[in-house]
Amino acid sequence: MRWRSLVLDRSMELKMRINHFPTTVAAANAVADRIAERLKATPNVVLGLATGATMEPVYERLVALHRAGEISFAGVTSFNLDEYVGLPPEDPRSYRATMDSQLFDLVDIDKSRTFVPDGLAADPAAFASRYEAMIREAGGIDLQLLGIGRNGHIGFNEPGADFAARTRVVDLEESTLEANSAFFDGALPPTQAMTMGIGTILESREIIVLATGATKRDAVRTALLGAVTPDCPATVLRRHANVSWWLDAESGADVAGESLAAE
Ligand code: F6R
C-alpha cells in the first residue's frame, strides 16, 4: 500500500491530509479501519454517515470487523446525511433501507439511535430543525464520513448551496439524478432530497472524505486545488481544521503530486 499523508498549504485556509491508495478497495478498507480505530477508542462515538456506491465497501469491511469480534457499535449514535423526498423508509432504494441492509441490520447498533432524515415528513422544515436539534442533543457529530458528487456536492448540497445552510429540502441537479439512476434501474430518482446543510457538516469535529474512481477525478481536483466557491461545495472543506481525504489512484490522479509538506 502506498501511503502518503500530505498537507496542502497554499493558503492559510488549507489544512488537509490527503491519503493516496493504489486501489478502491485499499482506500475503502483504510477508511473502515480508521472508523474502527475510532470506535475502539470512543465506543459512544457520534458518527455522521453517507450512502452511495463509494461507501458500500466501507460498510462491508466494518461488518466483517464486527463479525470478527473486533468492533462493537453498541454505544454508537449515527446521523445520516440525507434521504430522498417521497421514498418511504421501507423502499429498498431509500437511504434508510440502504443503511439498514448494508450496516445497521448486520451489526450490534441500537437502531433507535440511528437517525436518517425523513423523506416523508409532512412538515419538512419542522423535521429538519428537529434533526438539527437531535444532532446537538447528541453532543454533535464526532466523525463525519463524506462522499463527493461528480459535481462537487457534499451530502446533497449541490453547486450554489449556501455555505451556512442547515438541514433542508433541496432540488437535485440533473447530473446527480443521472449518476444515481444506477440505483433506480436506470429510471430517474426522486428530484428532491432532505440533506444536512454545509453549515451542519462543518460543525463535525472530524471529517473523512472518501472519493474513488475516475468519475470523481475532476471534483477532487477542484475541491483541493480550485478556488473556494459554492460552485464546488466540497471546496468549503478547506475551511475546516480537521479534514482528511482518502483517494484511489484514479480519483487522486491530479492531486498526487501535491506534496507540499509530508506529515
Ligand atoms: C450520500 C451523499 C452523496 C454521495 C455522493 C457520492 O449520502 O451524501 O453526497 O456521497 O453523491 O455518491 P457515490 O458514492 O454513489 O458516487
Side-chain angles (χ1 to χ4, degrees), residues 203-261:
E203 282 170 7
S204 312
R205 292 181 188 90
E206 178 181 352
I207 297 175
I208 285 179
V209 193
L210 175 61
T212 52
T215 57
K216 303 298 172 65
R217 181 174 172 168
D218 289 350
V220 167
R221 184 185 58 246
T222 308
L224 291 171
L225 304 176
V228 175
T229 162
D231 294 344
C232 177
T235 57
V236 78
L237 296 172
R238 302 207 319 246
R239 295 191 175 157
H240 191 283
N242 191 6
V243 177
S244 55
W245 288 75
W246 304 66
L247 308 174
D248 67 3
E250 291 184 326
S251 66
D254 295 339
V255 295
E258 296 297 320
S259 73
L260 301 185

Side-chain angles (χ1 to χ4, degrees), residues 112-170:
S112 70
R113 291 208 309 274
T114 64
F115 302 100
V116 180
D118 180 359
L120 292 185
D123 184 343
F127 179 88
S129 59
R130 228 170 33 245
Y131 201 68
E132 294 272 342
M134 286 190 295
I135 294 173
R136 278 196 304 277
E137 281 156 22
I141 292 171
D142 293 311
L143 180 61
Q144 175 69 55
L145 183 57
L146 288 184
I148 184 171
R150 298 169 193 196
N151 60 3
H153 72 212
I154 50 174
F156 272 142
N157 295 282
E158 300 282 36
D162 193 315
F163 283 167
R166 313 302 307 192
T167 302
R168 70 210 183 288
V169 169
V170 297

